[in-house]
Structures are given as C-alpha cells and as structure tokens.
C-alpha cells in the first residue's frame, strides 16, 4: 500500500523451495518498505520501484534475515497492473544463505 507519495508499506507470508525438491522448502514472513519512482506530472504506465525489509524464516525453528529487491509495475488499467519483481531474501542466522526469486503478480491501486 502506498502511504505517502511514492513510499509504501507491505507484508507477505510465503514459501521458498528449490524446483527439484519442492517439499523441502521453508516459510517466510516479510515486512517491507518500498519506494515507487513516480513521474513529476501526469500518469505513467511503467512505474519502477525498490523494496527491502525484515524477513523471518521458519520451518522446524526460526531465523532472522532481510530482503531487498526491485521491479516494475505496468498499469494497463487505472486500478490494475502487472507486477514484475526480483528479490533476494537473506538469512543472517542460518549461515548467511541467499534465496533469490523472480515474481510475477497483479498490482492494485
């Protein structure tokens, strides 16, 4: 959700797993901030953004970490768009592991 000009807040609950062993994944809970690079005037269909925040990893225990990334929203209707995002989620408790991901989704405003 955008809260002030280009600044946003968000959260998610998800699941990270390798393609070859999908059942061997971990849960994630993330609380994030974002900045959407908006035009100075008028509407723009393509709006890039950067994001980052805290990540809690969980399975049989928990681990702290963080995430960062960026992407673009393509607004094909006034309140509906396509979201493309790359994110790196990093565990700082479990031997500093990186979990890279590419996401595709819908954006609402």
């Amino acid at each position: 959700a955008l809260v002030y000009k280009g600044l946003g807040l968000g959260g998610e609950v998800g699941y990270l797993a390798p393609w070859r062993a999908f059942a061997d994944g971990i849960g994630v809970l993330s609380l994030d901030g974002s900045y959407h690079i908006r035009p100075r005037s008028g509407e723009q269909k393509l709006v890039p953004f950067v994001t980052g925040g805290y990540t809690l990893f969980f399975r049989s225990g928990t681990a702290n970490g963080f995430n960062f990334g960026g992407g673009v929203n393509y607004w094909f209707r006034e309140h509906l768009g396509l979201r493309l995002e790359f994110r790196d989620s990093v565990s700082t408790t479990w031997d500093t592991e990186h979990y890279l991901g590419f996401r595709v989704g819908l954006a609402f405003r």
Side-chain angles (χ1 to χ4, degrees):
L2 291 177
V3 292
Y4 179 74
K5 297 190 179 185
L7 296 176
L9 295 175
E12 70 175 307
V13 175
Y15 184 73
L16 295 173
W19 284 105
R20 295 183 188 136
F22 192 74
D24 195 26
I26 58 173
V28 293
L29 169 71
S30 295
L31 303 172
D32 304 308
S34 62
Y35 181 72
H36 299 251
I37 304 159
R38 299 163 50 112
R40 293 185 188 266
S41 64
E43 284 294 313
Q44 182 176 343
K45 287 194 173 272
L46 207 57
V47 179
F49 65 89
V50 292
T51 184
Y54 171 77
T55 300
L56 176 70
F57 298 92
F58 54 92
R59 185 171 173 158
S60 55
T62 61
N64 293 308
F66 62 93
N67 68 77
F68 61 93
V72 64
N73 289 327
Y74 175 73
W75 299 100
F76 52 85
R77 293 202 177 158
E78 185 177 349
H79 298 291
L80 183 64
L82 175 68
R83 181 181 181 105
L84 304 173
E85 179 181 352
F86 173 79
R87 188 178 293 195
D88 185 4
S89 298
V90 183
S91 165
T92 57
T93 307
W94 295 335
D95 298 326
T96 313
E97 294 184 37
H98 290 258
Y99 300 93
L100 304 175
F102 181 74
R103 303 157 176 232
V104 177
L106 293 176
F108 304 96
R109 64 174 170 185

